[in-house]
């Protein structure tokens, strides 16, 4: 008892060292002991070790923090909600006609493609309030925009015309080139690299350098139609999601020598239309199985969670994007949001 009473009298650096050996549950209980403990346990230094091994806390494999404005203690709490499937679901936008929409998040903007246009919607700071009046960004495609990505100062899109178009965010035309024999189903970009995937059963890596723009660096033969691609933040590998029509696993990671190094099986043999990684352990995927979003932990072989987006009509999940606290999913008729800062007891059961 005397030790417990004397513990708050110890210097802060000693207390922080002792607390650093505690897990999430112990830290939560210790924070309720007194105001001093509560203040110390709110510091990011205590939560960084836990955040590095948790899902979607914004800490990448290199240790970079992608959401420094949110306390790590809060992000670890959000991570538990992701892992347990606890969230609040809401519809942000509806439209009259069925489309094949795609979306991207960039700071406080949400970009949404509708037919041949890409529209920008401002997000307010709490990421929940949504302004319905967009700013339209024209891409110059002769057919619908299939996929696009916002990379630094560029908007890079792939269309049904088989072309890749690179514009800057000020809506001025930059460059266009033929990329695939059939429509460009998917696209991603990091640094000075673009990766695209197509119905022609290939994924291709392109240079984004101004003096080499449109030059194909590598072609990956996937043996199946490619519906989704993602580039590793280290630029060391490429992830592909395919139509699940052949014998090859639909979710694969390739090194830059075009060898498949990791594979996962989709439980219902559904085409994977979209996927995103948190840069660490988590992958989220949307498939042709109506309204289904899956979470995957790279340390496990089976999916971690599944979310069923309520829908009056059947639709695949054509695109999803997430922050550390919210997930946005685009279906044929509406834009959905899953909020992991709040818990819904009916979700994830």
């Amino acid at each position: 008892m005397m030790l417990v009473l004397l513990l708050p009298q110890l210097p802060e650096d000693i207390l922080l060292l002792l607390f650093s050996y505690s897990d999430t549950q112990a830290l939560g209980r210790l924070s309720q002991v007194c105001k001093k403990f509560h203040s110390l346990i709110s510091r990011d230094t205590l939560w960084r070790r836990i955040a590095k091994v948790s899902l979607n806390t914004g800490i990448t494999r290199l240790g970079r923090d992608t959401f420094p404005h949110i306390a790590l203690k809060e992000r670890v709490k959000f991570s538990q909600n992701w892992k347990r499937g606890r969230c609040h679901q809401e519809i942000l936008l509806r439209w009259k006609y069925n489309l094949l929409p795609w979306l991207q998040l960039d700071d406080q903007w949400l970009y949404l493609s509708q037919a041949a246009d890409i529209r920008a919607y401002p997000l307010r700071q709490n990421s929940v309030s949504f302004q319905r009046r967009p700013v339209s960004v024209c891409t110059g495609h002769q057919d619908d925009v299939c996929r696009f990505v916002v990379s630094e100062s560029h908007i890079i899109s792939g269309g049904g015309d088989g072309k890749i178009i690179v514009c800057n965010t000020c809506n001025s035309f930059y460059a266009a080139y033929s990329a695939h024999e059939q429509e460009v189903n998917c696209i991603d970009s990091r640094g000075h690299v673009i990766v695209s995937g197509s119905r022609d059963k290939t994924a291709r890596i392109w240079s984004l350098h101004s003096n080499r723009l449109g030059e194909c660096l590598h072609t990956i033969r996937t043996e199946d139609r490619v519906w989704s691609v993602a580039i590793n933040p280290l630029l060391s590998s490429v992830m592909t999601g395919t139509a699940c029509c052949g014998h090859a696993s639909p979710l694969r990671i390739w090194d830059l020598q075009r060898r498949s190094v990791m594979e996962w099986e989709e439980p219902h043999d559904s085409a994977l239309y979209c996927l995103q990684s948190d840069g660490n352990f988590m992958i989220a995927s949307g498939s042709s199985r109506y309204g289904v979003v899956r979470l995957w932990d790279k340390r496990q072989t089976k999916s971690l969670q599944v979310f069923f987006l309520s829908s009056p009509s059947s639709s695949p999940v054509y695109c999803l994007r997430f922050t550390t606290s919210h997930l946005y999913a685009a279906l044929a008729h509406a834009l959905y949001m899953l909020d992991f800062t709040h818990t819904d007891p009916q979700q994830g059961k």
Side-chain angles (χ1 to χ4, degrees), residues 95 97-102 112-119 121 136-148 157-161 331-332:
W95 41 87
Y97 306 103
N98 284 353
L99 300 171
L100 301 176
W102 191 253
L112 177 69
S113 68
Q114 294 179 296
D117 294 337
I118 299 174
R119 301 176 181 180
Y121 295 85
S136 183
V137 181
C138 296
T139 63
H141 284 284
Q142 298 301 312
D143 206 331
D144 287 356
V145 175
C146 295
R147 304 286 174 91
F148 71 94
S157 59
D161 51 11
L331 278 66

Side-chain angles (χ1 to χ4, degrees), residues 111 116-120 135-140 155 167-171:
Y111 296 86
D117 294 337
I118 299 174
R119 301 176 181 180
V135 176
S136 183
V137 181
C138 296
T139 63
I155 298 175
C167 301
N168 66 34
T169 51
C170 297
N171 194 26

Side-chain angles (χ1 to χ4, degrees), residues 51-339:
K52 283 182 178 180
V53 296
S54 300
L55 293 177
N56 195 31
T57 56
I59 305 297
T60 67
R61 288 184 179 181
L62 293 178
R64 186 171 66 90
D65 191 344
T66 55
F67 299 101
H69 58 286
I70 304 176
L72 276 176
K73 178 182 177 181
E74 289 299 302
R75 284 183 269 166
V76 170
K77 181 180 74 173
F78 300 159
S79 176
Q80 294 298 309
N81 290 338
W82 285 89
K83 183 177 180 179
R84 295 169 183 167
R86 297 175 177 173
C87 64
H88 167 71
Q89 187 179 130
E90 183 179 345
I91 297 178
L92 298 181
L93 280 177
R94 296 180 188 270
W95 41 87
K96 294 181 179 180
Y97 306 103
N98 284 353
L99 300 171
L100 301 176
W102 191 253
L103 61 89
Q104 291 286 353
L105 298 177
D106 178 28
D107 295 329
Q108 296 302 310
W109 292 90
L110 184 148
Y111 296 86
L112 177 69
S113 68
Q114 294 179 296
D117 294 337
I118 299 174
R119 301 176 181 180
Y121 295 85
L123 288 173
R124 297 175 184 173
Q125 287 197 347
N126 60 8
S127 297
V128 177
S129 300
F130 193 78
Q131 182 174 317
R132 297 174 182 274
R133 298 188 64 182
V135 176
S136 183
V137 181
C138 296
T139 63
H141 284 284
Q142 298 301 312
D143 206 331
D144 287 356
V145 175
C146 295
R147 304 286 174 91
F148 71 94
V149 63
V150 179
S151 175
E152 296 179 354
S153 59
H154 296 114
I155 298 175
I156 304 166
S157 59
D161 51 11
K163 292 183 178 180
I164 291 176
I165 291 183
V166 181
C167 301
N168 66 34
T169 51
C170 297
N171 194 26
S172 60
F173 179 80
Y174 185 48
Y177 54 91
S178 296
H180 289 269
E181 297 175 1
Q182 300 183 47
E183 60 261 43
V184 181
N185 287 331
C186 48
I187 200 160
D188 193 17
S189 177
R190 287 183 183 270
H192 294 287
V193 173
I194 300 171
V195 60
S196 61
S198 172
R199 186 182 290 271
D200 64 11
K201 300 182 181 181
T202 66
R204 291 178 178 172
I205 301 172
W206 309 84
S207 173
L208 189 54
H209 286 285
S210 58
N211 59 340
R212 301 179 66 185
L213 194 61
E215 179 181 341
C216 182
L217 305 177
H218 300 287
T219 297
I220 299 172
R221 307 288 176 181
T222 61
E223 305 172 17
D224 202 353
R225 291 170 291 172
V226 184
W227 288 110
S228 49
V229 293
I231 304 175
N232 182 285
L234 301 179
L235 304 181
S236 59
S237 61
V238 172
M239 185 161 50
T240 60
T242 54
C244 207
C245 292
H247 299 292
S249 298
L251 185 57
R252 288 188 282 179
I253 294 178
W254 310 75
D255 62 20
L256 292 187
Q257 280 69 49
R258 289 153 283 173
R259 296 174 300 189
S260 176
V261 294
M262 293 183 72
E263 300 181 357
W264 291 270
E265 293 291 342
E266 216 288 331
H268 294 95
D269 291 337
S270 302
L272 296 178
Y273 282 165
C274 55
L275 49 86
Q276 184 186 353
S277 170
D278 67 346
N280 200 7
F281 298 116
M282 193 180 85
I283 300 172
S285 65
S287 73
S288 59
R289 188 172 176 84
Y290 297 141
V292 169
V293 171
R294 291 189 188 277
L295 298 187
W296 307 77
D297 187 332
K298 294 179 183 177
R299 298 164 292 188
Q300 302 178 17
T301 57
K302 296 183 179 180
S303 63
L304 180 67
Q305 284 293 341
V306 57
F307 301 93
F308 298 92
L309 302 183
S310 58
S311 172
S313 61
S314 298
S315 169
V317 178
Y318 289 114
C319 184
L320 59 79
R321 286 293 178 264
F322 59 80
T323 65
T324 190
S325 57
H326 294 79
L327 183 144
Y328 300 88
L331 278 66
H333 56 278
L335 175 67
Y336 289 76
M337 180 191 70
L338 302 182
D339 180 358

